[in-house]
Amino acid sequence: MSGRWLAYHRIGDALRSADLCPARDEHAFLDAFRARLAAEPAVVLAPAAISVPVATELRVRRWR
């Protein structure tokens, strides 16, 4: 038996049996996840706006 085969079968066994993979407290997990998420730095998802003259200059350069 290869190591991968054994690992996959152990994973399958754990997924099919609650005795082999006891469920953790879901509320504790979610509370910890929320705390870690709140501690993450803020991420800016949109680029900063550029001024109109710069945007016009960029558009003109593309057409040249």
Side-chain angles (χ1 to χ4, degrees):
M1 282 195 265
S2 74
R4 280 189 184 168
W5 184 87
L6 185 59
Y8 285 129
H9 280 272
R10 285 183 179 163
I11 292 168
D13 291 342
L15 290 172
R16 286 186 291 275
S17 173
D19 295 335
L20 296 175
C21 187
R24 296 183 181 171
D25 182 17
E26 185 176 330
H27 295 293
F29 171 78
L30 289 174
D31 290 341
F33 181 76
R34 285 184 188 112
R36 286 195 313 263
L37 187 60
E40 288 285 323
V43 177
V44 177
L45 297 177
I50 58 175
S51 65
V52 175
V54 172
T56 304
E57 176 62 28
L58 290 174
R59 207 174 303 122
V60 169
R61 274 195 239 161
R62 285 187 198 143
W63 288 101
R64 285 184 187 172

